[in-house]
Amino acid sequence: MIKFLDLEKINNRFREEIDSELKEILDSGWYLQGKKNQKFAENFAEFCGVKHCLGVANGLDALNLIIKAYGFSNGDEIIVPANTYIASILAISQNGCTPILVEPDIKTYNINPDLIEEKITERTKAIMVVHLYGQAVQMKKIWELAKKYNLKIIEDSAQAHGSVYDGIKTGALGDASGFSFYPGKNLGCMGDGGCVTTNDDELFEKIKAIANYGSDRKYHHIYKGVNSRLDEIQAAVLNVKLKYLDKDNARRREISKYYRENIKNRIIILPETYDESAHVWHVFAVRTPERDRFQKYLEENNIQTIIHYPTPPHKQGAYQEWNNLSYPISEEIHRTVISLPISPVMTDDEVERVTEVINEYR
């Protein structure tokens, strides 16, 4: 079986380094908010090209904390792509704000910048951009809109560690960004984890306090905060893997290039990118009107696939108030999309085998 993502093989490459880090943590007796966390925050901030990074419990918390720190609440609107993982939208609604859905560009799957302005109202406070599947959103028009209407830009960078737009990495393209380090991400830990990145000193200090029970110093609480921390073990794992992220992303680009140049099947619609450096191919999502039959065919040929995602947010039970709404582009994507295996540990033979099997599909 060619696995969709072989996490055991991915992490075994770093086994010796990770074992050494874990021994150091065990010997230290310090498991939270220690040196490993501080080191990772510094390293990841430098990687993204920002002043600040704060490790938190997961990617959803990262987005939640940003919105909470800005003080957005009931009646405030945040524009968000209709085509996204539900966490992007949950972060908005969990803060009492109203998500305003905008259709994607069918070619990139990301939010269509040309459709945003018509959704801006006097209640709009921010635009949340989601760098879906690892491709950085085209930001030029969004920057212009944010300036014109005095809006904040929040990045959901959960799938886009290391992708670039106009020479700037995700995590530094907006006012603040939330990352996830879920194990399957391009930069993944061995449990849950996430972080917030920003160049805003005041915002950073506020998020730092809110994430620590609202405390700016021990037993002194200035906000109604939460408990959201990246533990030392996950920070240590991330520090090891961060050193290899650019190399791993380069391998993903090689595989993507091979797929896009060699998959030749009229039933399969290949993904597009406007700039190779903009995409880190967290997911290689193709589309086909015969998705169920195609997925079964690949499974019969020992190729594992995943659907990202079968049901759009506005058709989920969690948002029944939206169930009658129509977002035809998003619905088309969710109805036809299927993700092929792609990872830095895939062999050339495996990549060629996937391509060969797809080209034989009839």
Side-chain angles (χ1 to χ4, degrees):
M1 173 69 75
I2 298 176
K3 292 184 178 181
F4 176 76
L5 187 67
D6 193 334
L7 285 177
E8 182 181 4
K9 191 173 180 181
I10 286 172
N11 289 322
N12 272 340
R13 298 175 299 161
F14 317 118
R15 182 67 177 265
E16 188 174 328
E17 290 180 77
I18 289 173
D19 282 349
S20 176
E21 290 286 325
L22 297 183
K23 182 179 185 304
E24 191 176 323
I25 292 168
L26 287 170
D27 291 344
S28 75
W30 195 292
Y31 309 123
L32 289 169
Q33 295 180 310
K35 293 179 180 178
K36 301 298 183 186
N37 217 307
Q38 182 180 351
K39 181 181 178 183
F40 174 71
E42 292 171 355
N43 289 343
F44 197 66
E46 182 180 2
F47 176 82
C48 294
V50 295
K51 292 167 65 176
H52 304 293
C53 170
L54 178 71
V56 298
N58 53 67
L60 176 56
D61 275 10
L63 296 175
N64 256 319
L65 285 162
I66 293 167
I67 297 170
K68 190 175 181 69
Y70 274 130
F72 302 149
S73 59
N74 294 342
D76 292 336
E77 297 176 352
I78 298 178
I79 289 171
V80 64
N83 179 47
T84 185
Y85 182 57
I86 200 167
S88 315
I89 295 168
L90 287 172
I92 298 171
S93 60
Q94 285 175 0
N95 279 280
C97 299
T98 302
I100 303 298
L101 306 185
V102 173
E103 285 272 56
D105 180 333
I106 191 69
K107 292 181 179 179
T108 66
Y109 305 133
N110 280 334
I111 193 168
N112 187 336
D114 294 331
L115 302 179
I116 293 175
E117 189 166 18
E118 65 190 49
K119 296 294 185 80
I120 295 173
T121 73
E122 61 183 13
R123 295 181 298 278
T124 307
K125 299 296 183 182
I127 301 169
M128 181 183 288
V129 296
V130 182
H131 309 297
L132 196 67
Y133 301 155
Q135 179 156 221
V137 172
Q138 292 176 280
M139 296 296 298
K140 185 176 183 296
K141 189 159 189 175
I142 295 171
W143 287 334
E144 293 170 355
L145 290 171
K147 184 177 181 180
K148 179 178 178 180
Y149 293 99
N150 192 28
L151 305 176
K152 297 298 183 184
I153 297 175
I154 301 170
E155 293 178 81
D156 181 342
S157 303
Q159 300 184 7
H161 315 71
S163 58
V164 176
Y165 175 80
D166 196 25
I168 304 169
K169 282 184 178 172
T170 51
L173 291 166
D175 295 286
S177 177
F179 283 89
S180 167
F181 302 122
Y182 181 79
K185 305 299 187 185
N186 289 32
L187 180 63
C189 55
M190 292 185 177
D192 266 324
C195 80
V196 173
T197 60
T198 185
N199 284 312
D200 186 327
D201 298 341
E202 184 178 349
L203 182 71
F204 174 72
E205 292 300 327
K206 189 172 182 180
I207 290 173
K208 187 177 178 181
I210 292 172
N212 186 32
Y213 298 98
S215 174
D216 59 342
R217 62 182 188 273
K218 196 166 186 177
Y219 302 136
H220 185 258
H221 305 272
I222 56 176
Y223 306 111
K224 295 175 181 176
V226 298
N227 174 26
S228 184
R229 296 178 288 205
L230 183 69
D231 68 64
E232 287 290 275
I233 291 174
Q234 305 309 333
V237 169
L238 291 167
N239 265 321
V240 169
K241 297 176 74 173
L242 180 59
K243 295 182 292 185
Y244 304 96
L245 179 57
D246 283 335
K247 183 179 178 181
D248 281 357
N249 284 343
R251 176 57 179 159
R252 287 175 179 270
R253 289 188 179 108
E254 286 178 0
I255 296 169
S256 161
K257 188 171 186 290
Y258 186 90
Y259 279 160
R260 286 180 291 132
E261 289 179 352
N262 292 282
I263 292 176
K264 311 264 186 208
N265 191 314
R266 61 180 181 80
I267 304 171
I268 307 303
I269 302 168
L270 296 171
E272 297 184 24
T273 179
Y274 61 89
D275 177 1
E276 289 294 335
S277 67
H279 215 318
V280 292
W281 300 102
H282 171 61
V283 167
F284 190 91
V286 303
R287 288 187 293 119
T288 175
E290 303 177 4
R291 182 174 67 191
D292 292 347
R293 179 170 169 260
F294 179 61
Q295 185 174 42
K296 184 178 180 182
Y297 164 80
L298 292 178
E299 184 180 354
E300 289 170 350
N301 282 274
N302 295 313
I303 297 170
Q304 187 181 46
T305 58
I306 293 180
I307 296 171
H308 295 94
Y309 302 96
T311 307
H314 69 282
K315 296 297 184 183
Q316 296 283 358
Y319 291 97
Q320 291 182 29
E321 65 273 25
W322 293 345
N323 286 177
N324 291 328
L325 298 180
S326 176
Y327 293 91
I329 299 174
S330 294
E331 290 162 22
E332 171 69 14
I333 291 169
H334 286 258
R335 184 168 53 248
T336 59
V337 76
I338 180 169
S339 302
L340 304 183
I342 187 167
S343 84
V345 296
M346 279 188 76
T347 66
D348 288 345
D349 285 346
E350 287 175 326
V351 176
E352 290 168 11
R353 174 61 180 161
V354 172
T355 304
E356 176 187 351
V357 169
I358 291 173
N359 286 339
E360 291 174 354
Y361 175 70
R362 295 293 182 268

